[in-house]
Structure formats: structure tokens, C-alpha cells
Amino acid sequence: MSRPLPGVFDQALASAVRAPSPHNTQPWRFVVEHDVIEVWLDRERLLTVADPRGREARLACGAAAFNLVICLRANGLAVKVRMLPDPGEPDLVAVIRLDGNQRAAAVERKLAEAVFRRHTNRRPLLDKEVPSAARAALKSAALQEGAQIEYLDASGHYTPVASLVRQAETLQAEDPAFRAEAAYWTHREADSPDGVPKIASGPPPHGHGVVSLRASHENEDLPAREYEQEPLLGAVLTRDRGPHAEVRAGMAMQRVLLTATAEGLATSFLSQPFETPHTRASLDRLFAGIGQPHTLLRIGYGYPTRLTSRRPVEDVLTHRTGPDVPAG
């Protein structure tokens, strides 16, 4: 097909960079050629201590790919998606190709609109129960992308997972390399194009809750506050594991997050237990027989917080004009 109007790809790429990533590292780059957008992992932006294998980075790239897809579909374009399509290019995460026109579904327009409102809410949530209809909507969102979300309160895994979160936070606090890496990416100025600005961090907790706020995401300029005692926690899982599953889990995670935003819910991540080998292995054992856990989401109702900035699209975009032009 002929190349789409430039504005359509511009909007899709602006949506892509709004995806979440660990410490807002934004570990992606994009290559556009005619009617194709490639999503590449940017290894220069890996967290070498917390995420040396790039597992969290691939989740982020999957989330960016989902934002691309949902924006294009909301604009009436059909797309084909191939994840990790080239064994010789392991950092080529996904290829998204236009495939004609289609009528945009209402849910696609709803999710595309939520892209620019979704943000990680690190502040205390309200003690308000998430209703069963909203929980079902998030479950359906994960299933549509070939994954599942397991609510820990329903599975009996709440207490052991909360213990692993606290254990990982303690291990990270005792690791100078981890603390240095986290310090580099957090407490940035408000207009920083990457990293987590101080104003997007949560207040220090007053007392100890069931799960702990990541220490590097505390804003000590704010007075200490009580956090909700038992937030709704959901684990995003896939049946298989490995890089391909990580990308698909990222797409599912993003559909869940956008669905939550559309439902008026606030979300944040509990990444700590995935970032230390001991707690990561314990998580895998805990969910054995159910699926491979990829991320933990804290879900509830909260007050809006400021969105973190992103690098301009032109900083992460390459236009390829022919088959002999390199992708870098």
C-alpha cells in the first residue's frame, strides 16, 4: 500500500514514546520505512544493575509497540504485528506493517485517547475497593493480548509476594551499585526528558504498609503520609517465557494499563522483586504452574499526578529510505 499521511505516523510515534519504562529510561528506538515501523531495543539505555538481561526493557518496548498499534487502529488503519521476527537481530523487538483500512472500534479509540492520560501514580491510593466489573475489564484486556492478570488477593499469593517486595527493597538498599544506578535516574528536574523527576515521586510512607514504596521514588520534600494498607495487586503472566514472551507481556501490560486509565483507575509498578536474582527466582517458583510472571501492578483509585516527560520523537526515530540503508 502507499505510505500513509505523515501525520498518522507522527501521532502513532508520539503515542509510542508515552509507554512506561523502568525509571523512565525509554529504552527504545524506531525505524520507519514506507508503511512499516520497526521497534528496536536501545541497549545503551538498559539498567545494567537492575535489568542486565533487558527483560524490563523488552516489556517497555512491547508497551511502546502496543501504543503504536492502538493509535494506528484508532485512525482506521489495519496493521500486522510480528514480534521478535528476526533471530539474527535480537534487538529488533517488533515490526508493525500497515495492512489496509478498517473501521476503528470504540474500544480502540478509547484506549488510544487514554495513552496521553496514563501515568504511573506513586502516591497513596484511596481506601476504595476496585469493583468486580473493573477487575474483569483488566482481565479481559490481558487475555486479548495472549496473557493473563492474576489478582493476588484471589490467588492466595498476596502475603508471599508482598514479603518478596520488601525483601528485594532491603537487598537493593544494601547494594551500592543498585543505589547509584537508581540515584542517576531519579530525582531529576521537573522538565527532564527522561528519568523520574522528584515531583513525580511519592511522599515518604508514614509507617509500614503491606508493600513498600521504592525508596528511590520517595520525595523527602513532601510530608510523610499513610499509604493504603492492602492495595489491589495484579501479576501479568504468560504461559511461555523468554524474550518473545516478554514483548508480548509488555503489549498485554500496556492494554491493561490503558484499560485501567479508561476505567478511572490509578496504577504503579512493584518491580523490586524482579530486579534481584534471589527474589526473582522465588517469584518464578511461586507462580509455577500458573504462568511466567513479568510485572506486578498496584491498582486502585487516586488523585491525578503530573505526567513525566519523554524525549522528542525525533531523538528516537530513523527514516530508512531504501533496503540498503542501515537501521541505526
Side-chain angles (χ1 to χ4, degrees):
M1 65 178 291
S2 60
R3 184 170 178 171
L5 294 174
V8 175
F9 267 11
D10 291 345
Q11 184 182 353
L13 290 162
S15 296
V17 300
R18 288 304 316 171
S21 57
H23 291 325
N24 196 25
T25 49
Q26 302 168 47
W28 46 62
R29 57 192 180 93
F30 308 94
V31 177
V32 172
E33 182 180 4
H34 302 301
D35 59 352
V36 172
I37 303 178
E38 298 173 352
V39 183
W40 290 76
L41 174 69
D42 185 350
R43 289 195 173 271
E44 293 183 1
R45 287 183 164 260
L46 289 187
L47 296 173
T48 56
V49 179
D51 188 31
R53 285 187 50 252
R55 185 197 61 80
E56 288 186 283
R58 275 185 286 274
L59 289 177
C61 288
F66 182 81
N67 279 2
L68 278 168
V69 168
I70 204 66
C71 179
L72 293 169
R73 288 176 175 166
N75 277 290
L77 296 170
V79 297
K80 289 184 176 179
V81 182
R82 292 191 300 137
M83 290 179 285
L84 290 173
D86 187 350
E89 292 283 6
D91 293 342
L92 178 55
V93 171
V95 174
I96 298 163
R97 183 182 300 274
L98 297 187
D99 190 36
N101 299 316
Q102 66 177 22
R103 182 183 295 275
V107 67
E108 292 166 342
R109 292 193 297 269
K110 186 177 181 181
L111 295 181
E113 187 274 332
V115 166
F116 294 94
R117 293 189 291 112
R118 186 219 64 83
H119 60 280
T120 300
N121 192 328
R122 302 175 181 88
R123 301 200 174 202
L125 300 179
L126 303 176
D127 283 321
K128 178 181 176 182
E129 186 176 353
V130 177
S132 57
R135 290 166 64 126
L138 303 190
K139 270 189 169 290
S140 176
L143 288 171
Q144 288 181 66
E145 298 301 323
Q148 65 185 96
I149 185 167
E150 185 82 9
Y151 294 119
L152 302 192
D153 60 346
S155 68
H157 289 145
Y158 201 106
T159 298
V161 168
S163 177
L164 289 174
V165 172
R166 294 192 298 270
Q167 188 179 141
E169 184 71 26
T170 299
L171 291 170
Q172 292 166 357
E174 296 171 349
D175 183 343
F178 188 95
R179 293 202 313 270
E181 183 175 71
Y184 176 79
W185 286 103
T186 59
H187 290 191
R188 298 283 181 94
E189 295 298 321
D191 59 351
S192 175
D194 55 12
V196 180
K198 198 170 188 178
I199 60 171
S201 298
H206 183 68
H208 299 286
V210 176
V211 294
S212 57
L213 177 71
R214 188 188 282 276
S216 58
H217 288 171
E218 291 181 13
N219 183 352
E220 295 181 354
D221 292 343
L222 298 174
R225 286 181 55 189
E226 294 279 355
Y227 279 71
E228 69 283 357
Q229 286 302 299
E230 292 190 13
L232 177 62
L233 301 181
V236 176
L237 306 105
T238 57
R239 287 294 180 184
D240 55 348
R241 63 179 63 208
H244 189 277
E246 289 158 6
V247 178
R248 189 169 70 256
M251 296 188 75
M253 174 190 77
Q254 187 65 357
R255 183 181 276 271
V256 168
L257 293 172
L258 294 180
T259 302
T261 299
E263 294 282 338
L265 293 166
T267 53
S268 61
F269 299 90
L270 295 172
S271 300
Q272 300 97 312
F274 294 95
E275 297 171 345
T276 64
H278 174 72
T279 53
R280 170 75 195 191
S282 296
L283 269 182
D284 288 349
R285 288 193 297 270
L286 190 62
F287 287 97
I290 302 174
Q292 176 65 35
H294 294 280
T295 191
L296 287 171
L297 302 179
R298 166 181 170 254
I299 306 164
Y301 292 94
Y303 297 108
T305 60
R306 178 168 172 164
L307 275 67
T308 53
S309 298
R310 297 293 190 272
R311 293 182 290 162
V313 168
E314 54 266 27
D315 287 2
V316 296
L317 175 62
T318 299
H319 284 280
R320 184 188 293 137
T321 56
D324 297 326
V325 179

